[in-house]
Amino acid sequence: MTDVLTISDLQVSVADTPILKGVDIEIRPGEIHALMGPNGSGKSTLAYALAGHPLYEITGGQVMIDGEDLLEMDANQRARRGVFLAFQYPVTIPGVKVADFLRHAVSNIRNPGRKEGESLIPMREFRKELRSQMDQLGLDAEFARRYLNDGFSGGEKKRMEILQLAMLKPRFALLDETDSGLDSDAVRVVSEGLGELTGPEMGVLIITHHERLLEFNRPDYAHVMLAGRIVETGDADLAQELHANGYAAIRQRHPEAAAEEQDQEAQQVASTT
Ligand SMILES: Nc1ncnc2c1ncn2[C@@H]1O[C@H](COP(=O)(O)OP(=O)(O)OP(=O)(O)O)[C@@H](O)[C@H]1O
Ligand SMILES: [Mg+2]
């Protein structure tokens, strides 16, 4: 099995509370998947679990890439396999400049045997590539000399995300756009940037509520999550229906999941009062 990222029956708990209760998604390069669902349904939990975040305990199921266990890999190995997680580098790294960060990341991916401290890709080659990608994104040269994410606006963070995608050219990209409070500039950056970067080489899973993003990047598959399960998978029309009508119809079609959602909310209220 090559060129496929397979999430099967994934179960994830946070602080011993089950959040994901068996999630299945299969992504191939060239496919755009949208993951939608009401607040608290578990979308970001899926993203954190795939990133190997220590708070998110995998209690069942598996995630395989090209037939190998993704969950056993460290961040570097995942990156070398061509998996990109948008919040994988969300942190501010004082003292590390955008260009240096990208040169290291690109060198790691293109030269898999490379050890820390070993040769990076040649500066001239790298500069040329970086320049051309930055021009395309409308970033001026100064941006590459700034410290990573330090004082970046929402729009600049998104440009950084898209710049990373453009430089790293992953096979699988997972973008969690829900909680970032994107303004319209940032939404445009992501929409247009993704629109340019997606193609037969890259598979994408976008977690989003933004209609604009999905208009620009029509999903081949739209998955709807409710109470930690994917209750429906459709195409762009399903995404459109959710934008137009919200989740009421979904809850009606899946009363058991809707009941679980209510239980979950009641428990949360109980535990915080
Ligand atoms: N680190 C955490 N600590 C405690 N509870 C968590 C944590 N992460 C997730 N949860 C709980 O798991 C459930 C799913 O949360 P998650 O953030 O995955 O939802 P979401 O679908 O991404 O929602 P949104 O659309 O608001 O971004 C919620 O009940 C949430 O409170
Ligand atoms: Mg979220």
Side-chain angles (χ1 to χ4, degrees):
M1 285 268 273
T2 54
D3 254 9
V4 57
L5 179 71
T6 312
I7 302 166
S8 27
D9 193 28
L10 190 66
Q11 295 155 50
V12 176
S13 287
V14 178
D16 293 330
T17 304
I19 306 290
L20 298 187
K21 299 157 190 163
V23 171
D24 299 281
I25 300 178
E26 194 167 281
I27 307 169
R28 291 166 200 280
E31 295 176 350
I32 299 182
H33 294 250
L35 179 59
M36 305 170 78
N39 296 131
S41 53
K43 305 178 300 294
S44 294
T45 297
L46 175 65
Y48 284 120
L50 293 184
H53 192 296
L55 277 180
Y56 297 78
E57 191 199 346
I58 315 287
T59 54
Q62 55 184 14
V63 182
M64 306 293 275
I65 178 159
D66 305 335
E68 284 183 52
D69 191 343
L70 180 91
L71 299 172
E72 291 291 312
M73 299 176 190
D74 64 29
N76 219 346
Q77 290 168 320
R78 289 169 207 218
R80 282 177 180 169
R81 286 287 174 158
V83 179
F84 175 87
L85 301 153
F87 45 79
Q88 199 171 351
Y89 320 106
V91 286
T92 302
I93 312 186
V96 175
K97 291 181 179 165
V98 166
D100 296 333
F101 170 80
L102 286 173
R103 192 168 169 223
H104 276 88
V106 168
S107 302
N108 268 333
I109 286 173
R110 296 199 193 154
N111 181 3
R114 181 180 172 275
K115 300 213 172 57
E116 203 51 50
E118 272 178 13
S119 60
L120 298 167
I121 66 164
M123 186 56 112
R124 274 177 74 99
E125 189 187 313
F126 172 73
R127 281 258 171 244
K128 203 171 144 204
E129 199 176 329
L130 184 62
R131 265 262 51 120
S132 109
Q133 298 293 1
M134 286 178 63
D135 284 348
Q136 286 213 358
L137 283 172
L139 290 166
D140 64 52
E142 186 51 37
F143 188 80
R145 292 192 281 271
R146 289 181 62 182
Y147 293 121
L148 189 65
N149 289 331
D150 194 5
F152 280 16
S153 69
E156 285 166 342
K157 282 191 182 142
K158 290 293 135 185
R159 283 184 175 79
M160 183 67 213
E161 189 177 299
I162 298 298
L163 181 60
Q164 283 183 67
L165 274 178
M167 293 297 291
L168 301 178
K169 300 183 177 62
R171 281 187 301 151
F172 301 102
L174 194 150
L175 310 170
D176 189 350
E177 304 292 352
T178 32
D179 309 315
S180 29
L182 301 184
D183 61 20
S184 59
D185 172 54
V187 174
R188 187 181 54 77
V189 167
V190 179
S191 306
E192 296 180 1
L194 260 186
E196 270 165 37
L197 293 172
T198 47
E201 315 276 279
M202 186 162 90
V204 191
L205 179 68
I206 318 175
I207 300 174
T208 188
H209 295 130
H210 287 286
E211 192 167 5
R212 178 99 190 268
L213 246 168
L214 297 179
E215 259 171 24
F216 235 84
N217 301 277
R218 258 181 92 76
D220 303 295
Y221 301 92
H223 308 278
V224 187
M225 193 176 264
L226 194 59
R229 286 193 179 87
I230 293 189
V231 293
E232 278 185 33
T233 293
D235 56 17
D237 291 341
L238 176 59
Q240 194 54 49
E241 184 205 319
L242 294 175
H243 282 310
N245 305 325
Y247 291 101
I250 291 279
R251 290 187 173 104
Q252 266 176 12
R253 293 204 285 268
H254 305 278
E256 281 173 28
E260 271 187 59
E261 186 187 28
Q262 294 231 308
D263 286 350
Q264 216 166 296
E265 272 165 24
Q267 275 166 21
Q268 275 187 354
V269 171
S271 69
T272 51
T273 47

